């Protein structure tokens, strides 16, 4: 579904991603682990071109999205993204937050979008918040809304950039539950996270990154039971 | 006794023999009521408002244009630089630098006595000069607002598949506008008060008429105090309107 070839990214002289190759298959739940500054967020943000790769080719559903002629807005309509800091639009109600993109990109009429919003909000248990503003919600509620907002575009893949890192510990669970539900529905997901439990339980494949390289990748059970790379062993011994 | 009779009675007495209050009354009468002079202040006030509105509109249009060009230029993706935008950006930067680097008064005189030296419509020339001046400051205020907004807002909009223009229109600009409103209000107050400078190029606003009265009465205190009071009232009205608008925009902040 997403194919990454020879992806490199540098900020000035600092090489953040060093020649990565990766393929993400439909239905996979890829969890990206690694220490801060390892390049995992940059890798994720390259997948929908929020960061422009310095070199390399990224293909999504057969389209080369790194081609300057590619209509990236069109591609992004099929890739949902959830951010660490939610990034809800504070000047709009929750309903408007969710329906703005589907309506403006002409994927749905306002009526359809409103119905979709209601339905998705019900699924995450926040139906009564439709007319509230983001400032009135807790962190966990905001992040669940952010997930709903991305889902309203009916994306083929969802990218999560540390979705629980900015939350109170109490609220992590409610967000992870929504993500688990999503995984059970068969959504293709790429998740950058520090939640080892989630990686083990939900992930179908784990990537371990450090220093701009993917040092190790494996099935979660294998990865946690039997880490091979010394850096992985060190990392896991510190976080588990 | 009516105000006119009072004036006639007291102005007949030599100034040295009047009490403080009587003297003040005569001078104020000369500055305000005498030969219906108060009407000329209001004529000046009309010009002040007219010039402010023209300069304001011009300033906002220019400021928006310049801020849009500069922000769009700065937000281009690396390797996707548009040379035309680069040129437009250069022109905008020069404009802002020159306008902010020279005094308002000097700009007015250059416009009034050099660029439009032969023009008779000095009030309009002055409005143009004020608008061009205000545009540079408004541009910087708007640019600051756009730059200061959390980049995550732009990213979130774009990640949903919205284009640059839509993201700016629905997400970035409404939030930036709310954030810059106090600074913008401040700039408009400065602009309103700067209209008092246009008398140097013979723009006929309040100060111009106040000075005309002074040349007849040789008494500067009351005409200038009246001028000050009129500006103060204008600014108060404007601040009140601004406060109302800010409260309305704060709707989404309620918890």
């Amino acid at each position: 579904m997403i194919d990454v070839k020879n992806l490199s990214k540098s900020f000035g002289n600092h090489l953040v991603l060093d020649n990565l190759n990766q393929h993400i298959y439909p239905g996979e739940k890829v969890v990206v682990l690694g220490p801060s500054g390892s390049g995992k967020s940059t890798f994720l943000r390259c997948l929908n071109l929020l960061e422009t790769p310095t070199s390399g080719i990224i293909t999504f559903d057969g389209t080369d999205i790194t081609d300057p002629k590619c209509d990236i807005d069109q591609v992004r309509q099929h890739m949902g993204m959830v951010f660490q800091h939610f990034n809800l639009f504070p000047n709009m109600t929750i309903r408007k937050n969710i329906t703005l993109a589907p309506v403006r990109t002409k994927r749905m009429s306002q009526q359809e979008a409103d119905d979709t919003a209601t339905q998705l909000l019900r699924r995450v248990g926040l139906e009564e918040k439709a007319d509230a503003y983001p400032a009135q919600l807790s962190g966990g509620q905001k992040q669940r809304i952010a997930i709903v907002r991305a889902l309203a575009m009916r994306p083929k893949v969802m990218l999560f950039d540390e979705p629980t890192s900015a939350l109170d510990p109490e609220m992590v669970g409610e967000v992870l539950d929504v993500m688990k539900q999503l995984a059970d529905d068969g959504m293709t997901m790429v998740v950058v996270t520090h939640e080892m439990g989630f990686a083990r339980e939900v992930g179908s494949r784990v990537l371990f990154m450090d220093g701009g390289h993917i040092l190790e990748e494996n099935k979660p059970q294998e990865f946690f039971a039997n880490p091979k790379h010394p850096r992985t062993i060190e990392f896991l011994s510190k976080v588990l | 006794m009516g105000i006119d009779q009072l004036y006639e009675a007291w102005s007949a007495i030599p100034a040295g023999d009047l009490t403080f209050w009587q003297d003040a009354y005569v001078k104020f009468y000369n500055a305000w009521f005498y030969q219906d002079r108060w009407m000329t202040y209001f004529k000046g006030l009309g010009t002040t408002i007219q010039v402010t509105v023209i300069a304001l509109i011009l300033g906002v249009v220019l400021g928006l244009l310049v801020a849009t060009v500069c922000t769009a230029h700065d937000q281009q993706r690396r390797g996707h630089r548009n040379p035309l935008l680069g040129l437009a950006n250069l022109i905008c930067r020069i404009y802002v630098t020159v306008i902010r680097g020279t005094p308002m008064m000097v700009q007015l005189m250059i416009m009034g006595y050099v660029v439009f030296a032969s023009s008779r419509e000095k009030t309009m020339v002055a409005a143009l000069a004020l608008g061009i001046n205000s545009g540079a400051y408004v541009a910087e205020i708007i640019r600051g607002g756009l730059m200061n907004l959390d980049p995550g807002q732009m990213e979130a909009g774009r990640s949903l598949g919205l284009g640059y223009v839509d993201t700016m229109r629905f997400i970035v600009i409404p939030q930036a506008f709310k954030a810059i409103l106090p600074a913008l209000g401040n700039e408009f107050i400065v602009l309103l008060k700067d209209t008092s400078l246009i008398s140097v190029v013979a723009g006929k606003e309040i100060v111009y008429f106040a000075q005309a009265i002074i040349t007849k009465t040789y008494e500067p205190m009351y005409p200038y105090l009246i001028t000050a009071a009129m500006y103060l009232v204008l600014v108060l009205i404007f601040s009140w309107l601004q406060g109302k608008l800010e409260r309305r925009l704060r709707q989404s902040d309620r918890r």
Side-chain angles (χ1 to χ4, degrees):
Chain A
M1 180 173 256
I2 304 178
D3 188 60
V4 178
K5 267 203 188 72
N6 305 324
L7 171 65
S8 293
K9 171 74 186 174
S10 44
F11 293 108
N13 287 327
H14 180 55
L15 188 62
V16 182
L17 298 177
D18 188 5
N19 205 23
L20 299 186
N21 288 285
Q22 193 52 234
H23 193 94
I24 290 148
Y25 296 92
E28 262 197 314
K29 292 98 183 72
V30 177
V31 180
V32 187
L33 301 178
S36 314
S38 59
K40 50 194 192 321
S41 278
T42 308
F43 170 66
L44 190 79
R45 290 159 57 84
C46 277
L47 295 182
N48 68 353
L49 244 59
L50 280 186
E51 299 290 351
T52 315
T54 309
S55 66
I57 293 171
I58 300 168
T59 317
F60 174 69
D61 264 357
T63 323
D64 175 6
I65 65 169
T66 41
D67 182 349
K69 284 195 279 292
C70 165
D71 180 1
I72 190 63
D73 296 333
Q74 193 66 40
V75 174
R76 284 177 181 146
Q77 290 174 21
H78 302 284
M79 304 172 104
M81 183 151 193
V82 176
F83 299 85
Q84 179 177 358
H85 295 288
F86 331 126
N87 296 352
L88 293 181
F89 309 133
N91 55 328
M92 301 173 197
T93 60
I94 298 307
R95 192 195 312 279
K96 193 85 214 278
N97 261 275
I98 299 169
T99 59
L100 178 72
V103 173
R104 287 302 302 175
T105 56
K106 303 201 167 62
R107 309 237 308 162
M108 295 178 194
S109 67
Q110 185 67 49
Q111 185 58 47
E112 279 174 275
D114 283 340
D115 292 346
T116 309
T118 311
Q119 191 189 332
L120 286 169
L121 283 173
R122 194 176 302 145
R123 236 174 85 181
V124 298
L126 291 171
E127 207 184 342
E128 76 284 5
K129 296 291 186 191
D131 295 311
Y133 283 94
Q136 295 163 285
L137 304 183
S138 73
Q141 290 173 329
K142 282 186 206 173
Q143 195 60 299
R144 283 187 280 160
I145 300 289
I147 294 173
V148 163
R149 182 177 67 178
L151 286 177
M153 290 294 287
R154 307 201 184 291
K156 294 176 185 162
V157 56
M158 286 283 283
L159 311 174
F160 291 86
D161 189 4
E162 302 200 27
T164 57
S165 298
L167 296 176
D168 282 352
E170 272 189 299
M171 294 170 180
V172 170
E174 62 190 64
V175 171
L176 290 182
D177 283 344
V178 172
M179 290 169 65
K180 273 175 207 161
Q181 208 184 70
L182 197 57
D184 291 340
D185 292 346
M187 176 63 76
T188 310
M189 294 162 71
V190 184
V191 187
V192 170
T193 187
H194 294 293
E195 293 294 327
M196 299 301 150
F198 179 83
R200 201 189 310 241
E201 205 180 318
V202 181
S204 57
R205 188 153 58 101
V206 174
L207 306 181
F208 178 76
M209 287 185 69
D210 193 20
H213 300 270
I214 297 174
L215 295 182
E216 187 163 348
E217 64 171 288
N218 215 331
K219 292 208 177 318
Q221 297 82 352
E222 278 294 299
F223 177 85
F224 287 105
N226 249 327
K228 295 191 180 62
H229 196 283
R231 184 71 186 90
T232 317
I233 298 168
E234 187 198 343
F235 177 78
L236 288 178
S237 72
K238 280 182 187 157
V239 297
L240 288 181
Chain B
M1 216 172 356
I3 45 174
D4 297 324
Q5 287 84 354
L6 210 56
Y7 169 74
E8 274 156 33
W10 287 342
S11 58
I13 303 169
D17 296 342
L18 290 173
T19 66
F20 176 80
W21 293 110
Q22 285 170 337
D23 184 52
Y25 181 82
V26 169
K27 283 175 179 166
F28 180 78
Y29 188 96
N30 270 328
W32 185 257
F33 293 111
Y34 189 75
Q35 288 177 349
D36 282 339
R37 279 180 177 150
W38 57 273
M39 284 169 71
T40 63
Y41 292 101
F42 280 100
K43 223 162 93 190
L45 182 73
T47 313
T48 295
I49 291 171
Q50 192 188 353
V51 168
T52 307
V53 169
I54 293 171
L56 196 94
I57 293 169
L58 190 64
V60 168
V61 169
L62 267 175
L64 255 176
L65 195 73
V66 171
T68 312
V69 168
C70 291
T71 314
H73 176 266
D74 294 347
Q75 285 180 344
Q76 287 178 105
R77 277 193 280 160
R78 231 168 303 185
H80 289 72
R81 295 245 182 257
N82 182 340
L84 217 64
L85 201 54
L87 182 70
N89 181 60
L90 183 70
I91 294 170
C92 291
R93 303 300 324 163
I94 292 173
Y95 160 67
V96 171
T97 310
V98 170
I99 293 296
R100 290 205 306 172
T102 53
M104 175 74 248
M105 177 88 95
V106 176
Q107 289 167 24
L108 260 174
M109 293 200 218
I110 291 174
M111 286 293 272
Y113 297 130
V114 181
V115 183
F116 293 101
S118 57
S119 168
R120 295 243 187 119
E121 279 290 327
K122 286 292 200 256
T123 308
M124 285 303 114
V125 171
L128 184 68
L130 278 170
I132 291 173
N133 177 273
S134 180
Y137 290 93
V138 171
E140 286 299 283
I141 292 171
I142 295 177
R143 204 171 65 90
L146 294 177
M147 294 297 220
N148 260 337
L149 194 68
D150 174 13
Q153 291 290 314
M154 176 57 103
E155 286 178 358
R158 298 305 302 275
S159 79
L160 287 164
L162 291 170
Y164 179 80
V165 175
D166 266 6
T167 310
M168 282 304 247
R169 177 171 157 205
F170 292 102
I171 297 158
V172 177
I173 291 176
Q175 292 182 59
F177 179 69
K178 195 169 108 180
I180 66 174
L181 201 61
L184 220 47
N186 211 20
E187 168 56 27
F188 292 162
I189 287 172
V190 169
L191 173 66
L192 174 69
K193 293 192 297 182
D194 274 353
T195 58
S196 63
L197 293 174
I198 73 173
S199 56
V200 300
V201 290
K204 295 181 176 59
E205 46 66 71
I206 311 178
V207 175
Y208 177 89
F209 287 112
Q211 281 170 341
I213 290 166
I214 292 166
T215 56
K216 287 180 196 147
T217 61
Y218 304 108
E219 184 47 67
M221 180 161 126
Y222 288 99
Y224 282 145
L225 283 183
I226 290 165
T227 308
M230 288 182 121
Y231 274 107
L232 184 62
V233 169
L234 275 184
V235 170
L236 285 178
I237 293 171
F238 184 79
S239 307
W240 176 72
L241 286 173
Q242 186 194 346
K244 264 182 89 115
L245 182 59
E246 274 178 41
R247 273 192 295 284
R248 248 186 62 187
L249 290 176
R250 235 178 279 146
Q251 199 195 140
S252 61
D253 293 345
R254 66 191 155 87
R255 282 158 203 274

